[in-house]
Amino acid sequence: MDPSYGRCRLGQLDGAEGTAELRDGTTVASIELRDTREQEVIEVPMPGGATGRKPGRITGFVAIRFVEVDDPTLRSHLGQHVQRERSEDYSFDVVLDDGTRIGPCAVGSPLGSASPGDYWFVLDF
C-alpha cells in the first residue's frame, strides 16, 4: 500500500475483504473487493534504434460486493443503484482486514450479479 491515504498499487486489492465504515467508525457492511486495474506500457523509439518503455493509461476498475449489510440506509441506497434510480450520495470508508483504510468511497454502477441479491458495484474512491 502506498503510504498516502487511499492509494494502492494496481491489482493489489483483488480478493481483499473487510468492512465498510462511516466516518464516525460505525460498521455498515462486510465487503469483498475485486481489482482488475492494469497499466498499459507504451514503447517509445529512442536514438540509436533502441526502444524505450514508459507507462501508459490505466484500464480496469475496482469492484465491491457487500456480503452482509447492517445499515438500512445503505441497503436502500444499493437497491436504488440496482434499479438505476437517482439516490442521495452515500460516502463510506473501506477498512481491509489488514487495517488499511481507503476512502472516502462511493458506490458506482452495478456490474451484475452471480445470483439475485449478490451484486458487484464499481467502487469510486
Side-chain angles (χ1 to χ4, degrees), residues 92-116:
F92 57 91
D93 288 353
V94 168
V95 181
L96 302 179
D97 288 343
D98 67 4
T100 303
R101 181 176 288 273
I102 303 168
C105 300
V107 175
S109 304
L111 298 170
S113 69
S115 63

Side-chain angles (χ1 to χ4, degrees), residues 32-49:
E32 179 183 351
L33 299 178
R34 184 185 313 160
D35 190 347
T36 65
R37 298 173 302 162
E38 295 179 337
Q39 187 161 31
E40 296 176 349
V41 176
I42 300 170
E43 292 188 358
V44 181
M46 299 181 71

Side-chain angles (χ1 to χ4, degrees), residues 2-111:
D2 189 285
S4 56
Y5 185 80
R7 297 187 185 244
C8 54
R9 291 190 310 270
L10 302 179
Q12 179 182 2
L13 297 175
D14 197 38
E17 296 179 351
T19 59
E21 291 184 1
L22 300 179
R23 286 293 172 150
D24 66 6
T26 304
T27 299
V28 293
S30 299
I31 58 99
E32 179 183 351
L33 299 178
R34 184 185 313 160
D35 190 347
T36 65
R37 298 173 302 162
E38 295 179 337
Q39 187 161 31
E40 296 176 349
V41 176
I42 300 170
E43 292 188 358
V44 181
M46 299 181 71
T51 303
R53 297 168 53 119
K54 70 177 194 174
R57 69 182 177 154
I58 296 173
T59 60
F61 55 87
V62 175
I64 186 169
R65 182 172 70 94
F66 294 88
V67 178
E68 185 177 323
V69 179
D70 300 327
D71 182 53
T73 305
L74 176 58
R75 187 175 291 113
S76 172
H77 182 73
L78 295 175
Q80 290 171 334
H81 270 282
V82 169
Q83 299 300 322
R84 306 241 186 233
E85 297 173 359
R86 185 172 288 234
S87 62
E88 296 293 319
D89 289 338
Y90 189 94
S91 181
F92 57 91
D93 288 353
V94 168
V95 181
L96 302 179
D97 288 343
D98 67 4
T100 303
R101 181 176 288 273
I102 303 168
C105 300
V107 175
S109 304
L111 298 170

